[in-house]
């Protein structure tokens, strides 16, 4: 297998710890173990249960955990998917391992794979490494006729989708809510995607790591729920998710695959060849995070952060509207900004990093030049100072 460089990941891991202000992060300000356990005990009973969980953690034996995830953790995850049991869930090291295992298990050389773009480019890169024929299905910024320069949403084109998905399609990869745009598909569009996958007999891989990070309105429905509402559960639907984004717990490295029992058995078999299983402490803390009251409290924290911090970026974009325009994200702690300056996005990001010590993601990493991605879910002080430095650079660029 030959892997092309995963530009986004490599750029971030090279520079994120070497800059003054990191606005390349795509998740919510991570929680400490203390914050998580406090939140958990606050969500149940104060003090006494906090002390109890801390003591339990310290006394834990660091043996191997259950390789597909402990039953309590798989049950907590299964509770998110109507009709699912622990047998429908495989716990992985992050959503990235969940995506990798799925692709590795399903895709073979010359298979056709349709990938929604723009996207976190992992699935794209793995499909190419597996020598699949990869087809792009683009979300596009759409404006109204009264304000053609101000796009109001990143919209999918279903006609184009229907042309791309054929009886030869092996897998369709969707990211909803979407990274990097923050767009959320409507239920109707999700249903059309499921119907088309069923018609083609294709695997449908739905990466839902931003589910629960909506700025407004209800939690985005899972493809699991949409597919369950149709005639029969779709045997080839795979949902991946993790605690890294909407839950603010990326360091736990806990993700999962949800699917029909047979698919999950096969995932587990593949997982035996990758990392064996999740870390013992991680599995335990993830179980704490996903108990229903704690999960609610975590997602409440997420929404509070998003609602407080999006206006900071939104205000900055309006103040710089001669240079930048952005569709407001519906979910996720990231926004894609289109810019008018005549400079390539990688050059722009590198210049900002070198001259101002600020890291942002160039649109090139999403095959979307003349755009940048800014993460606004981290420390608010960092966001403000990073944006101030970006303003200084933009003034110089003219
Ligand atoms: C859409 C999407 N999926 C999966 C991942 C992988 O996340 P993790 O492995 O931390 O769960 C990311 C990380 O940025 C992402 O944006």
């Amino acid at each position: 297998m030959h892997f092309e460089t995963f530009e986004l990941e490599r750029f971030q891991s090279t520079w994120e710890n070497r800059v003054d202000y990191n606005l390349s992060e795509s998740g919510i300000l991570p929680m400490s173990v203390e914050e998580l356990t406090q939140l958990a005990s606050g969500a149940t009973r104060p003090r006494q249960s906090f002390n109890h969980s801390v003591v339990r953690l310290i006394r834990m034996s660091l043996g191997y955990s259950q390789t597909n995830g402990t039953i309590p953790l798989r049950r907590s995850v299964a509770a998110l998917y109507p009709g699912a049991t622990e047998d429908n869930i495989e716990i992985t090291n992050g959503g990235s391992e969940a995506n990798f295992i799925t692709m590795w298990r399903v895709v073979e050389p010359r298979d056709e794979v349709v990938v929604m773009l723009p996207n976190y480019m992992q699935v794209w890169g793995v499909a190419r490494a597996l020598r699949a024929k990869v087809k792009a299905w683009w979300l596009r910024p759409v404006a109204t006729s009264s304000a053609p320069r101000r796009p109001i949403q990143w919209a999918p084109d279903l006609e184009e989708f229907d042309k791309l998905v054929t009886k030869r399609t092996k897998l369709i990869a969707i990211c909803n809510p979407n990274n990097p745009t923050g767009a959320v598909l409507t239920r109707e569009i999700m249903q059309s995607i499921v119907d088309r996958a069923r018609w083609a007999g294709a695997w449908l891989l739905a990466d839902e790591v931003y589910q629960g990070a909506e700025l407004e309105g209800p939690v985005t429905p899972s493809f699991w729920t949409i597919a369950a509402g149709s005639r029969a559960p779709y045997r080839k639907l795979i949902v991946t998710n993790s605690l890294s984004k909407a839950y603010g717990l990326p360091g736990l490295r806990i993700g999962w695959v949800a699917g029909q029992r047979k698919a999950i058995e096969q995932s587990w078999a593949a997982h035996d060849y990758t990392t064996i299983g999740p870390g013992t402490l991680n599995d335990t803390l993830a179980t704490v995070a996903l108990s229903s009251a704690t999960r609610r409290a975590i997602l409440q924290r997420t929404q509070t952060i998003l609602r407080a911090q999006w206006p900071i970026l939104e205000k900055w974009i309006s103040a710089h509207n001669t240079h930048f325009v952005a569709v407001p994200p519906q979910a996720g702690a990231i926004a894609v900004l289109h810019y008018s300056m005549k400079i390539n996005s990688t050059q722009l990001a590198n210049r900002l990093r070198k001259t101002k010590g600020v890291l942002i993601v160039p649109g090139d990493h999403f095959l979307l030049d003349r755009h940048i991605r800014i993460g606004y879910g981290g420390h608010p002080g960092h966001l403000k100072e990073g944006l101030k430095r970006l303003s200084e650079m933009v003034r110089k660029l003219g």
Side-chain angles (χ1 to χ4, degrees):
M1 255 168 110
H2 168 73
F3 287 97
E4 293 161 349
T5 304
F6 190 166
E7 302 284 358
L8 169 65
E9 280 301 335
R10 180 47 58 92
F11 185 71
Q12 282 190 261
S13 44
T14 305
W15 300 113
E16 64 193 349
N17 298 312
R18 297 203 232 165
V19 289
D20 301 333
Y21 298 100
N22 178 17
L23 306 187
S24 74
E25 241 336 302
S26 62
I28 306 293
L29 187 69
M31 265 186 261
S32 62
V33 177
E34 183 177 38
E35 189 178 358
L36 172 60
T37 41
Q38 267 169 351
L39 220 116
S41 51
T44 50
R45 242 179 318 123
R47 224 55 244 165
Q48 193 191 350
S49 60
F50 172 64
N51 292 339
H52 177 72
S53 18
V54 171
V55 169
R56 206 161 62 97
L57 267 185
I58 292 171
R59 295 201 175 143
M60 266 189 70
S61 152
L62 295 175
Y64 280 110
S65 186
Q66 169 77 24
T67 63
N68 56 341
T70 56
I71 289 176
L73 178 54
R74 282 188 287 130
R75 281 193 180 149
S76 306
V77 174
L80 308 176
Y81 303 100
T85 71
E86 65 265 33
D87 294 334
N88 296 106
I89 308 296
E90 162 80 4
I91 302 294
T92 55
N93 283 277
S96 43
E97 193 183 31
N99 289 337
F100 184 85
I101 286 178
T102 305
M103 299 294 292
W104 189 39
R105 184 174 73 73
V106 168
V107 177
E108 290 174 82
R110 291 179 296 283
D111 278 349
E112 281 190 15
V113 172
V114 175
V115 180
M116 178 198 219
L117 290 186
N119 205 323
Y120 174 65
M121 296 300 274
Q122 184 203 6
V123 163
W124 177 271
V126 176
R128 286 173 61 87
L130 290 163
R131 291 189 283 128
K133 185 174 167 212
V134 189
K135 298 180 181 176
W137 179 44
W138 281 94
L139 297 180
R140 295 204 174 79
V142 175
T144 56
S145 51
S146 55
R149 288 199 58 251
R150 298 261 157 258
I152 49 163
Q153 67 175 124
W154 285 88
D157 179 337
L158 275 182
E159 269 180 38
E160 192 185 329
F161 181 70
D162 285 352
K163 280 192 198 133
L164 290 168
V165 176
T166 70
K167 294 272 186 193
R168 289 185 304 281
T169 304
K170 184 73 166 289
L171 181 138
I172 301 164
I174 303 291
C175 176
N176 187 53
N178 177 257
N179 176 3
T181 63
V184 176
L185 299 172
T186 62
R187 278 178 173 271
E188 292 70 31
I189 288 174
M190 292 172 80
Q191 185 65 60
S192 303
I193 292 172
V194 172
D195 292 346
R196 189 71 182 167
R198 235 187 243 276
W199 169 85
W203 288 90
L204 177 56
L205 168 58
D207 179 336
E208 300 181 346
V209 291
Y210 287 98
Q211 186 196 34
E214 294 75 19
L215 275 119
E216 303 289 339
V219 170
T220 307
S222 169
F223 269 92
W224 181 282
T225 317
I226 301 290
S230 22
R231 284 165 289 154
Y234 187 41
R235 173 176 81 75
K236 290 186 161 180
L237 170 67
I238 295 291
V239 172
T240 58
N241 203 330
S242 83
L243 297 183
S244 298
K245 308 296 173 188
Y247 296 84
L249 295 166
L252 280 188
R253 310 303 307 131
I254 289 288
W256 58 86
V257 183
Q260 295 308 308
R261 202 181 168 130
K262 187 146 178 271
I264 293 303
E265 275 166 17
Q266 289 166 358
S267 270
W268 189 8
H271 198 178
D272 290 338
Y273 283 98
T274 56
T275 55
I276 303 178
T280 307
L281 278 175
N282 302 347
D283 187 302
T284 306
L285 287 168
T287 310
V288 169
L290 285 175
S291 77
S292 57
T294 307
R295 179 173 173 269
R296 266 199 307 280
I298 292 175
L299 294 184
Q300 185 58 56
R301 169 191 185 267
T302 295
Q303 203 174 52
T304 305
I305 292 175
L306 292 176
R307 285 190 181 172
Q309 294 183 196
W310 164 243
I312 300 173
L313 179 56
E314 192 179 30
K315 206 165 139 207
W316 185 92
I317 297 168
S318 318
H320 295 76
N321 64 6
T322 47
H323 293 91
F324 292 94
V325 55
V327 176
Q330 292 167 277
I334 39 183
V336 172
L337 283 59
H338 173 67
Y339 61 82
S340 58
M341 291 91 74
K342 298 212 172 352
I343 178 172
N344 160 264
S345 62
T346 302
Q347 286 170 352
L348 183 124
N350 277 327
R351 192 181 295 190
L352 183 67
R353 176 178 61 73
K354 283 185 201 151
T355 61
K356 300 288 176 188
V358 178
L359 195 67
I360 54 172
V361 179
D364 279 343
H365 291 181
F366 306 103
L367 311 180
L368 209 63
D369 192 17
R370 294 293 168 93
H371 291 77
I372 52 174
R373 188 189 78 181
I374 294 187
Y376 63 88
H379 194 285
H382 286 213
L383 175 62
K384 286 181 191 155
E385 182 57 31
L387 291 174
K388 191 169 137 237
R389 293 184 183 199
L390 178 55
S391 304
E392 291 164 6
M393 199 189 83
V394 170
R395 271 201 295 280
K396 280 219 171 118
L397 283 171

